[in-house]
């Protein structure tokens, strides 16, 4: 547990410092698994596109279609399992950082602490609330006198939103697809979404590591300097 060098005088009620390092590494591990399952899904997407392309062209595929369908289904299942598990770990880490950030800067947050959880769940607002909360945490966690730019957070969030929306569109397209051409097109859309998700997950790892390091560094610096 991180000791609070500032005591509790500058913290809002019920806000206390706790180390985010363990949860941070758990979130990083989960995101690594997400990347691995996304790579598996990319392979399944390519196989599905190849098979449906041959079917659309009138080429005999034998049992390749059944194998491609099973592979595609397995890929979707393992992706979902990895995503849900990692989401729990990530949100636990995120909430802990949000509480820590209140100790560093009690008045520097535009959203209440509960939105650090609900902001990821509630539809529509989950497209921008978590980013705003992350920026508030980022600013509060920057070492004393050393504000840091938001480029990493903004880049990560851009890829995350693109991945989220493109994945939903691809899933709808695959569900509605009847012909081989439509399935091939849906698999192509999912291929795009999976590749973007790999980038988003890699950037999320960078965000987790950076924010965790920033908070640890700020604690080690001690109380805020007092200027005459």
């Amino acid at each position: 547990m991180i000791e609070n060098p500032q005591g509790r005088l500058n913290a809002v009620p019920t806000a206390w410092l706790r180390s985010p390092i363990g949860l941070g590494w758990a979130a990083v591990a989960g995101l690594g698994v997400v990347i691995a399952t996304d790579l598996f899904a990319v392979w399944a997407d390519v196989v599905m596109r190849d098979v449906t392309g041959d079917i659309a062209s009138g080429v005999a595929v034998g049992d390749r279609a059944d194998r491609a369908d099973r592979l595609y289904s397995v890929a979707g299942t393992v992706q979902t399992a990895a995503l849900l598990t990692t989401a729990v770990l990530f949100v636990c880490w995120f909430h802990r950082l949000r509480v820590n950030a209140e100790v560093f800067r009690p008045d520097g947050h535009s959203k209440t602490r509960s939105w650090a959880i609900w902001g990821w769940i509630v539809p529509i607002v989950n497209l921008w609330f978590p980013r705003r909360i992350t920026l508030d945490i980022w600013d509060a966690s920057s070492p004393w006198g050393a504000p840091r730019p938001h480029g990493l957070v903004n880049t990560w969030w851009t890829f995350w939103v693109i991945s989220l929306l493109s994945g939903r569109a691809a899933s709808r397209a695959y569900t509605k697809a009847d012909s081989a051409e439509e399935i091939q097109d849906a698999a192509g859309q999912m291929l795009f979404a999976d590749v973007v998700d790999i980038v988003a997950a890699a950037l999320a790892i960078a965000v987790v590591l950076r924010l965790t390091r920033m908070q640890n560094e700020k604690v080690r610096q001690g109380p805020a300097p007092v200027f005459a």
Side-chain angles (χ1 to χ4, degrees):
M1 177 181 297
I2 296 178
E3 297 295 333
N4 182 1
Q6 299 170 267
R8 297 179 58 86
L9 294 178
N10 294 328
V12 296
T14 73
W16 63 97
L17 284 175
R18 295 179 64 191
S19 173
I21 295 175
L23 285 174
W25 281 116
V28 166
L31 288 163
V33 174
V34 168
I35 291 174
T37 60
D38 282 344
L39 289 170
F40 177 54
V42 166
W43 176 45
D45 296 335
V46 171
V47 171
M48 179 62 76
R49 290 188 75 244
D50 288 344
V51 170
T52 52
D54 288 344
I55 294 174
S57 301
V59 177
V61 297
D63 60 354
R64 285 174 55 210
D66 290 336
R67 290 200 302 268
D69 189 61
R70 287 194 298 270
L71 181 65
Y72 200 81
S73 177
V74 170
T77 299
V78 297
Q79 268 188 309
T80 300
L83 180 61
L84 291 177
T85 302
T86 302
V88 172
L89 295 172
F90 186 92
V91 171
C92 288
W93 166 84
F94 191 73
H95 184 265
R96 180 164 297 183
L97 257 70
R98 175 62 176 77
V99 175
N100 287 347
E102 284 188 25
V103 179
F104 296 140
R105 189 177 176 184
D107 59 347
H109 305 277
S110 59
K111 310 298 178 188
T112 61
R113 188 189 304 172
S114 61
W115 282 112
I117 297 175
W118 290 108
W120 296 95
I121 301 171
V122 178
I124 307 301
V125 301
N126 63 356
L127 296 178
W128 76 86
F129 269 35
R131 172 188 170 275
R132 181 63 264 169
I133 296 169
T134 303
L135 293 179
D136 290 342
I137 294 172
W138 185 280
D139 291 340
S141 304
S142 293
W144 304 120
R148 297 184 178 179
H150 300 153
L152 176 60
V153 174
N154 290 331
T155 304
W156 158 61
W157 194 250
T158 298
F159 276 92
W160 162 248
V161 171
I162 293 173
S163 171
L164 181 67
L165 297 180
S166 60
R168 290 176 180 176
S171 295
R172 287 195 297 269
Y174 186 80
T175 300
K176 296 178 180 179
D178 291 322
S179 66
E181 291 87 350
E182 290 174 339
I183 296 175
Q184 183 183 31
D185 180 67
Q189 293 182 50
M190 189 61 76
L191 175 61
F192 171 80
D194 289 335
V195 170
V196 174
D197 194 60
I198 291 172
V199 179
L203 289 168
I205 289 175
V207 170
V208 171
L209 294 175
R210 181 74 63 81
L211 270 174
T212 301
R213 185 167 60 249
M214 285 166 61
Q215 288 206 344
N216 191 54
E217 180 182 347
K218 189 159 187 171
V219 168
R220 290 179 180 277
Q221 287 182 351
V226 177
F227 299 99

